[in-house]
């Protein structure tokens, strides 16, 4: 899932990532998943796949990603910047979660992560991908609309605090997949320019 020259990679989530994932989860969702849900999903969730986004490091060509990783290591910052989950049922995929650490939002990383996991869904043979989003979550809705998701229904009182869920879906036909790949190239060009560790979390060691 890593691409030569990109300063960020998306790789499968492992249990050792869970503390960093939970730190993001707690500040990203009004009703965070419990830590045990991630352990359970990673151990037994046969129809699920989870991914994390982090600076690239192993790729020798990727000097920018390696610099970023080594600065984060020195400052004791977790390298996990975001994560996403997919659930598969027959030829459908469901986006079960998606989050970017608040200090890293608004730079294209959410789009990059989402487009990367959508490519994974395509590779797994999914013909359609669905998701739920809160009506109050305008930022996520804009992201999904930009990618091409459309509103397909409402699940009343779906969330634990009683808020409805909007259902959204994207059919992964040939034309859409080709459009998503074009979009991904544009997003990659954007995230290629993120390299300096200038975000607040890094400077105050908040992680
Ligand atoms: C939703 C989320 C993953 C987006 O991550 P991100 O890294 O900020 O995403 P991007 O920088 O790629 O932005 C994607 C789009 O979101 C919208 N967006 C991002 N920040 C925004 C802001 N502050 N205000 C309005 N729209 C915004 C824009 O449409 C943007 O596209 P553009 O950059 O082409 O204009 C992130 O905000 C997050 O983790 N939120 C909390 C968890 C969550 O709500 N997850 C979704 C659950 S359904």
């Amino acid at each position: 899932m890593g691409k030569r020259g990109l300063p960020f990679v998306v790789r499968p989530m492992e249990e050792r990532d869970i503390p960093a994932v939970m730190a993001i989860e707690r500040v990203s969702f009004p009703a965070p998943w419990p830590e045990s849900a991630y352990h359970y999903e990673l151990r037994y969730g046969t129809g699920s796949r989870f991914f994390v986004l982090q600076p690239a490091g192993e790729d020798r060509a990727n000097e920018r990603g390696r610099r970023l990783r080594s600065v984060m290591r020195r400052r004791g910052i977790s390298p996990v910047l975001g994560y996403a989950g997919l659930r598969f049922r027959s030829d459908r995929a469901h986006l079960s979660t998606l989050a970017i650490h608040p200090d890293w939002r608004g730079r294209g990383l959410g789009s990059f992560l989402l487009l990367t996991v959508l490519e994974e869904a395509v590779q797994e043979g999914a013909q359609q991908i669905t998701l739920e989003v809160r009506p109050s979550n305008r930022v996520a809705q804009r992201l999904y609309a930009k990618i091409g998701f459309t509103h397909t229904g409402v699940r009343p009182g779906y969330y634990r605090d009683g808020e409805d869920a909007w259902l959204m879906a994207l059919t992964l036909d040939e034309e859409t997949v080709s459009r998503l790949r074009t979009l991904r190239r544009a997003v990659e060009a954007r995230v290629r320019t993120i390299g300096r560790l200038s975000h607040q979390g890094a400077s105050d060691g908040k992680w």
Side-chain angles (χ1 to χ4, degrees):
M1 274 173 271
K3 263 197 181 176
R4 277 178 81 78
L6 272 182
F8 301 94
V9 291
V10 176
R11 61 160 175 83
M13 188 187 290
E14 297 169 18
E15 283 194 273
R16 68 187 167 93
D17 297 317
I18 291 176
V21 165
M22 284 308 299
I24 300 173
E25 176 90 15
R26 289 190 194 102
V27 293
S28 296
F29 296 106
W33 284 11
E35 191 168 332
S36 56
Y38 283 101
H39 285 287
Y40 184 87
E41 287 286 352
L42 293 184
R43 284 183 202 174
Y44 312 113
T46 46
S48 300
R49 302 216 9 227
F50 287 84
F51 306 89
V52 294
L53 169 79
Q54 66 170 57
E58 278 79 39
D59 179 355
R60 288 194 163 278
N62 203 328
E63 188 51 35
R64 184 174 280 170
R66 274 195 302 150
R67 270 206 315 268
L68 209 53
R69 278 265 288 269
S70 84
V71 173
M72 292 174 94
R73 206 171 19 245
R74 274 204 309 278
R75 296 184 186 177
I77 299 168
S78 160
V80 175
L81 306 179
Y83 57 92
L86 287 177
R87 210 163 41 232
F88 291 95
R89 187 174 290 171
S90 64
D91 62 354
R92 284 184 183 203
H94 184 78
L95 185 76
S96 54
T97 190
L98 172 76
I100 297 290
H101 188 283
D103 294 335
W104 292 84
R105 290 179 193 161
R107 304 176 191 197
L109 289 174
S111 307
F112 175 64
L113 176 58
L114 179 56
L115 287 164
T116 305
V117 303
L118 286 178
E119 182 64 37
E120 285 295 307
V122 169
Q123 296 303 328
E124 291 286 333
Q127 303 289 310
Q128 194 193 43
I129 178 148
T130 56
L131 59 83
E132 288 109 15
V133 63
R134 287 174 183 262
S136 60
N137 193 347
R138 299 276 179 222
V139 170
Q141 285 165 34
R142 282 182 66 164
L143 166 62
Y144 299 139
K146 186 180 84 171
I147 303 288
F149 281 87
T150 54
H151 190 275
T152 55
V154 179
R155 220 165 251 158
Y158 174 81
Y159 293 102
R160 253 186 285 159
D161 57 8
E163 188 170 352
D164 295 347
W166 281 0
L167 308 180
M168 299 187 88
L170 176 66
T171 300
L172 297 168
D173 55 27
E174 226 172 278
E175 195 186 323
T176 303
V177 169
S178 150
R179 185 179 57 74
L180 293 179
R181 287 179 183 151
T182 305
L183 192 55
R184 177 145 179 232
R185 282 193 290 277
V187 168
E188 282 175 1
R190 184 173 172 200
V191 303
R192 231 178 258 282
T193 65
I194 308 172
R196 287 187 310 116
L197 194 63
S198 56
H199 73 292
Q200 189 60 26
S203 53
D204 65 9
K206 225 168 32 190
W207 286 64

